[in-house]
Amino acid sequence: MDLQYFFFIYWCGIWVIHLIAIVYGKYRLHKKVQSLPPDEPYPGVSILKPLMGVDPHLVSNLETFFTMNYPMYEILFCIEDEKDPALDVVNALIERYPKVQTSVFIGGSLVGVNPKINNMYKAYEASNYNLILISDSGIKMREDTLLDMVHHMTEKTGLVHQMPFTCDRNGFAGTLEKIYFGTAQARIYLAADCVRVNCHTGMSALMRKDVLDEQGGLKIFGCYLAEDFFISKSFLDRGWKTTISSHPALQNSGICDVNSFQARLTRWAKLRVAMLPLVIICEPLTECMVIGACAAWASSLLFLWEPLVFYLVHILVWFLCDWILLSIVQNGTLPFNKFDFIIAWLFRECSGPYLFLLAVLDPTIKWRNRVFKLAWGGVAQELKPRIKC
């Protein structure tokens, strides 16, 4: 196939993804949470909360887990270092909400290179319920979100995860985060879930413990940094369904600046490249500016269309589709005006290909104060191990 045909067909496929995401997002997200049937008991849920350090929003984020509208759950806090100030925050909340079932596990277990799994392993082994919710420290929970996730855990479903999104935050960085997670990320996430492709991110995920234990438990995923992808893959490989809940995950980390956000995007791109090498070719062609330029060139050869006009119309329609999708994911008034959206959207779309190039050129992963090297297939090696048994 000539290159111009490939680019034009690929461009058409991207618009199909746009359409699927908008329609599926409108249908799937923000549904009214339904209670379980009266004759069906609520299953217990063990919530694993890996913590490291304290940010300005940690107290308010954790407190939302103490006030959830769900009858039977436990919170298992996982803290690697006994001197971590997060321990004081946890103890204060436990004292404030004595009726909530809680446990604190201090000290990591060396079951792999993944620091998150090392931190959670003791709590996972001690959990009392078959449903396990792994939830990052930066997640803010609505009162009915856990009920919504359990409602989607049907007999044939093994894993329910929340689509990543953000709380309303001030400043350019907050606008940039919301636009990314409500457009570029949401578009792929919703389309992938609609056609049952693995798109799981582990910041907030409910899963069946007995299915994990059949495979050896949480520790068998300790060799990966992207443990969420491989956990979801293991469920799919065993015939279980995975699905998103109707509530997006509300990220509310106390760190909100452009450099930190772009570092996250670069780190995630490195993981995707290591897990799925074909991403090196396909992912840049999902970017508005890149695929638009390629399709404009292709259309000028195939149909003799004016490439500049084609390119500008392409950007305009993409922009409008992203505004529609973001409004669907937000499900309410956006915390910024249209001008702020235009500036942040253009910044995101222009910087996306550059960040991906950085990820390809430097495959090492820096996570907090640790450095990892990735091999093809997603297996990681820590260059400077810290956790001891």
Side-chain angles (χ1 to χ4, degrees):
M1 179 185 294
D2 292 335
L3 198 57
Q4 59 266 32
Y5 288 102
F6 169 79
F7 283 141
F8 194 79
I9 293 173
Y10 197 100
W11 177 79
C12 292
I14 293 297
W15 288 110
V16 172
I17 293 175
H18 272 279
L19 181 62
I20 291 175
I22 291 172
V23 174
Y24 188 67
K26 187 66 176 179
Y27 159 77
R28 194 75 169 80
L29 298 178
H30 304 292
K31 297 295 184 182
K32 183 178 179 180
V33 180
Q34 300 179 1
S35 300
L36 296 180
D39 58 342
E40 185 176 341
Y42 286 83
V45 179
S46 296
I47 303 173
L48 306 187
K49 292 293 294 186
L51 304 177
M52 180 179 289
V54 175
D55 66 44
H57 295 162
L58 182 64
V59 175
S60 59
N61 289 339
L62 293 184
E63 190 168 18
T64 62
F65 287 82
F66 286 85
T67 58
M68 292 188 299
N69 182 20
Y70 194 82
M72 191 189 319
Y73 67 93
E74 62 176 350
I75 310 176
L76 310 177
F77 294 100
C78 315
I79 301 175
E80 181 184 318
D81 188 349
E82 62 181 5
K83 298 180 180 180
D84 195 316
L87 182 59
D88 295 331
V89 172
V90 168
N91 288 333
L93 287 170
I94 291 175
E95 185 176 352
R96 190 182 308 171
Y97 298 94
K99 294 183 179 180
V100 178
Q101 185 180 357
T102 58
S103 300
V104 180
F105 296 84
I106 300 175
S109 299
L110 187 58
V111 297
V113 299
N114 186 308
K116 183 177 178 180
I117 289 183
N118 286 338
N119 197 8
M120 294 189 298
Y121 184 69
K122 290 181 180 179
Y124 173 84
E125 290 291 295
S127 58
N128 293 309
Y129 302 121
N130 185 48
L131 292 184
I132 301 288
L133 174 64
I134 297 178
S135 177
D136 288 354
S137 61
I139 297 297
K140 184 177 182 179
M141 208 73 154
R142 285 175 44 175
E143 288 186 357
D144 53 355
T145 295
L146 182 56
L147 178 60
D148 177 66
M149 297 180 78
V150 171
H151 177 76
H152 285 89
M153 184 66 76
T154 63
E155 292 183 357
K156 296 182 180 180
T157 302
L159 189 151
V160 178
H161 51 112
Q162 292 186 271
M163 187 185 79
F165 196 46
T166 66
C167 292
D168 293 349
R169 281 129 78 90
N170 296 324
F172 180 76
T175 301
L176 185 63
E177 280 189 348
K178 187 170 285 286
I179 288 174
Y180 170 76
F181 286 107
T183 60
Q185 174 83 357
R187 181 167 56 250
I188 299 300
Y189 215 89
L190 289 168
D193 188 72
C194 180
V195 299
R196 303 305 178 194
V197 173
N198 185 4
C199 61
H200 171 227
T201 60
M203 63 181 61
S204 182
L206 184 70
M207 61 195 74
R208 296 182 184 271
K209 184 181 180 182
D210 55 352
V211 178
L212 286 177
D213 287 341
E214 289 174 2
Q215 304 169 76
L218 195 62
K219 64 182 179 181
I220 69 168
F221 302 99
C223 61
Y224 306 108
L225 286 186
E227 80 290 339
D228 45 8
F229 174 86
F230 292 99
I231 288 174
S232 179
K233 183 177 183 298
S234 71
F235 276 90
L236 293 170
D237 290 345
R238 297 174 70 86
W240 290 91
K241 294 181 180 179
T242 66
T243 186
I244 61 171
S245 66
S246 63
H247 289 183
L250 298 178
Q251 300 176 80
N252 191 38
S253 171
I255 300 174
C256 184
D257 62 74
V258 175
N259 289 336
S260 298
F261 173 64
Q262 291 188 317
R264 289 177 69 195
L265 298 186
T266 304
R267 183 171 69 248
W268 292 343
K270 293 177 183 181
L271 291 172
R272 291 193 297 272
V273 169
M275 292 184 299
L276 303 168
L278 190 60
V279 164
I280 294 178
I281 299 175
C282 295
E283 184 163 325
L285 294 179
T286 64
E287 295 286 355
C288 173
M289 303 302 176
V290 177
I291 189 59
C294 295
W297 170 78
S299 66
S300 68
L301 296 180
L302 295 174
F303 310 112
L304 301 180
W305 294 344
E306 174 57 44
L308 180 58
V309 174
F310 182 99
Y311 190 50
L312 294 177
V313 171
H314 159 87
I315 292 175
L316 176 61
V317 178
W318 192 297
F319 170 84
L320 294 175
C321 287
D322 276 356
W323 175 265
I324 294 171
L325 181 58
L326 178 59
S327 299
I328 291 172
V329 178
Q330 175 76 4
N331 194 39
T333 303
L334 290 167
F336 44 79
N337 57 42
K338 292 182 176 62
F339 179 78
D340 291 337
F341 176 78
I342 292 172
I343 299 302
W345 184 87
L346 286 172
F347 181 85
R348 211 302 304 171
E349 295 300 332
C350 293
S351 63
Y354 169 73
L355 295 178
F356 184 80
L357 179 62
L358 291 182
V360 173
L361 295 177
D362 180 13
T364 58
I365 298 284
K366 295 180 180 179
W367 188 83
R368 296 185 185 269
N369 56 351
R370 299 175 181 177
V371 180
F372 302 87
K373 182 179 180 181
L374 294 174
W376 294 120
V379 176
Q381 176 184 359
E382 187 172 359
L383 299 182
K384 296 179 180 180
R386 281 189 58 215
I387 296 181
K388 297 181 180 179
C389 295

